[in-house]
Amino acid sequence: MMRRLPALLLPLLMMAAPAAHAQGCSPAWVSGWASSQFQPTGDAALPEGTLRDRTLRQIVRPSVAGDRLRVRLSNLAGGAPLRIAGASIARAKGAGSPAIDPATRVPLRFDGKADVIIPAGADYLSDPVAMPARALDNIAISIRYDGEPEQTSHPGSRATSWHMAGDHLDDAAMAGAAHFDHWFNLAALEVERCAPVRLIVALGDSITDGKGSTTNGNDRWTDVLAERLQADPARRGIAIVNQGIGGNRLLNAGLGPNALARLDRDVLAQPGVTHMILLEGINDLGTLTRDAPVSKADHAAHVARIIGAYRQIIARAHAKGIKVIGGTIMPLVGNDYYHADADNEADRQAVNAWIRTPGHFDAVVDFDRVMRDPARPERLLPAYDDGDALHPSPKGYKAMGEAVPLSLFD
């Protein structure tokens, strides 16, 4: 005999049920936006006390639409529990302002409570909120810190975040707020939508992170690709997230852990992932000889290790059913930091030859061919160069984003 539920529980159960169920489909979660979190160092770290007992508002853009949202907060670099006194989510009025539409503000809950203590080294998902989101909307996520947080961050946000002392979760304007261009403790905005879901994760370094793109302009190559997907009615259900870190390498720690060390967290664990675009290796090639020349044998061994890292990433992704698309490494001759010579260029050509060889990656995007100067193929095309002979300009990022065939994700 079926027991009757108490009348007071019925509204709660109805609120908890995903809207997608009423539409006759099976809902599934997918990362709509993400940032690779790690411990900031040097100028990327904030002075002590910057976030103590303050509210931090950060703006992100989900790459795909959905019916419900949840936020993934991270205490990855913390050696102690992270105390969050409260959090909220709302539609932002723009990418370059802390102002929100107050009618859309929804408090976030964690296991039904306003506050949460996130263990050291851990991530924590908020409870889902019934907040329909459009693709490429500006979404504001506000976090109120309890005490002084240890810093877990994505320094290369190319997006402005605002902070004020005290509780400003309900503050529609945050007038007079201080600001910086970093994301803190914000690992993902996940979107619930009807299955099947598809997600592309772009794993890379500063060229994927968007160094040289416009602050608050959302014109990284991954943003261009997201806009192209949304413009195609057949592919609007495909999400893309950017897991680039400036200075990142395949083999050694630079800014953030090496690509092999962060692969599980930043790619394989992302809900809904079906494809990865891998564009890493330029910093490995450049750092080999930045401080001193090395022997021909060392060059050959370094190329072999880079290729070995690619093989590892491909094998681990394939074990999860993820297709891996390789991006060829773009030119770096002329960059003052790496001062690459003919031997470095030969290394790059050897690595790119392996990337292009059929049977290694599932597919290839030849960024090198698109971005190089035909008259001097060891250098970036001047029209696409942001000025340091390494990073693209916004025009260059547009060319990169347009070079990715959408048919790769069918």
Side-chain angles (χ1 to χ4, degrees):
M1 180 176 176
M2 184 178 293
R3 295 177 57 192
R4 295 186 63 185
L5 292 169
L8 288 175
L9 286 182
L10 292 178
L12 295 176
L13 291 174
M14 291 174 67
M15 289 173 61
H21 280 153
Q23 300 166 4
C25 72
S26 299
W29 290 98
V30 63
S31 284
W33 173 91
S35 72
S36 183
Q37 296 285 306
F38 58 98
Q39 184 172 18
T41 57
D43 292 343
L46 300 177
E48 185 177 353
T50 300
L51 293 177
R52 183 185 297 125
D53 297 322
R54 296 177 82 86
T55 299
L56 174 65
R57 181 166 293 168
Q58 307 177 82
I59 311 296
V60 304
R61 289 203 315 170
S63 60
V64 72
D67 300 309
R68 298 200 302 169
L69 302 176
R70 65 186 183 190
V71 172
R72 184 183 295 271
L73 299 181
S74 180
N75 188 24
L76 176 71
L82 172 65
R83 306 182 71 91
I84 302 294
S88 65
I89 188 168
R91 287 195 177 89
K93 290 192 173 181
S97 162
I100 62 170
D101 177 355
T104 67
R105 195 195 74 83
V106 180
L108 291 174
R109 295 289 182 260
F110 303 87
D111 307 313
K113 299 187 301 181
D115 61 328
V116 64
I117 300 174
I118 304 176
D123 287 359
Y124 214 100
L125 285 169
S126 74
D127 300 342
V129 296
M131 180 180 171
R134 298 182 297 265
L136 310 181
D137 259 355
N138 291 301
I139 302 294
I141 299 165
S142 302
I143 301 170
R144 181 184 165 207
Y145 292 101
D146 179 2
E148 173 83 7
E150 291 184 85
Q151 293 183 32
T152 292
S153 170
H154 186 89
S157 65
R158 276 89 212 179
T160 304
S161 302
W162 291 265
H163 58 99
M164 294 186 78
D167 183 357
H168 291 272
L169 296 178
D170 295 334
D171 190 336
M174 285 189 78
H179 59 85
F180 47 66
D181 294 338
H182 311 295
W183 288 309
F184 277 84
N185 303 110
L186 189 55
L189 176 65
E190 298 183 1
V191 176
E192 188 182 56
R193 51 185 291 112
C194 285
V197 295
R198 285 181 286 173
L199 170 65
I200 307 159
V201 179
L203 182 68
D205 46 47
S206 57
I207 294 172
T208 295
D209 205 16
K211 181 175 172 57
S213 64
T214 308
T215 299
N216 299 319
N218 293 302
D219 52 9
R220 312 164 190 84
W221 70 262
T222 53
D223 297 315
V224 175
L225 180 53
E227 290 165 0
R228 290 179 61 217
L229 290 166
Q230 287 304 308
D232 186 336
R235 298 181 174 94
R236 285 180 185 152
I238 303 175
I240 178 169
V241 297
N242 185 320
Q243 297 286 40
I245 296 177
N248 201 234
R249 290 186 265 173
L250 290 162
L251 302 174
N252 298 100
L255 287 177
N258 66 75
L260 284 173
R262 67 189 183 97
L263 179 68
D264 287 346
R265 180 184 69 251
D266 287 351
V267 181
L268 306 186
Q270 295 299 313
V273 59
T274 54
H275 296 77
M276 174 186 3
I277 302 176
L278 176 63
L279 180 58
E280 287 250 25
I282 198 166
N283 293 316
D284 297 84
L285 294 173
T287 54
L288 177 67
T289 57
R290 192 179 79 84
D291 296 325
V294 300
S295 68
K296 296 286 187 183
D298 287 335
H299 276 280
H302 195 59
V303 167
R305 288 192 67 214
I306 290 172
I307 291 171
Y310 289 151
R311 290 186 190 276
Q312 288 289 310
I313 291 171
I314 293 167
R316 287 163 61 181
H318 281 175
K320 300 291 186 180
I322 300 166
K323 293 184 178 180
V324 188
I325 300 160
T328 51
I329 299 175
M330 290 152 39
L332 70 157
V333 168
N335 177 258
D336 290 339
Y337 185 75
Y338 284 142
H339 46 78
D341 60 13
D343 288 334
N344 299 108
E345 175 63 10
D347 294 346
R348 188 178 75 90
Q349 293 295 341
V351 171
N352 280 348
W354 189 90
I355 293 171
R356 293 185 180 110
T357 300
H360 293 156
F361 285 96
D362 296 298
V364 174
V365 178
D366 203 339
F367 291 123
D368 170 47
R369 181 185 59 79
V370 172
M371 300 296 289
R372 70 194 180 206
D373 185 347
R376 299 183 300 172
E378 75 283 0
R379 294 175 181 264
L380 283 176
L381 188 70
Y384 291 163
D385 184 356
D386 192 50
D388 66 359
L390 182 70
H391 296 98
S393 63
K395 184 177 180 180
Y397 283 124
K398 187 173 188 295
M400 290 179 68
E402 292 177 345
V404 182
L406 300 187
S407 59
L408 294 178
F409 315 114
D410 294 342

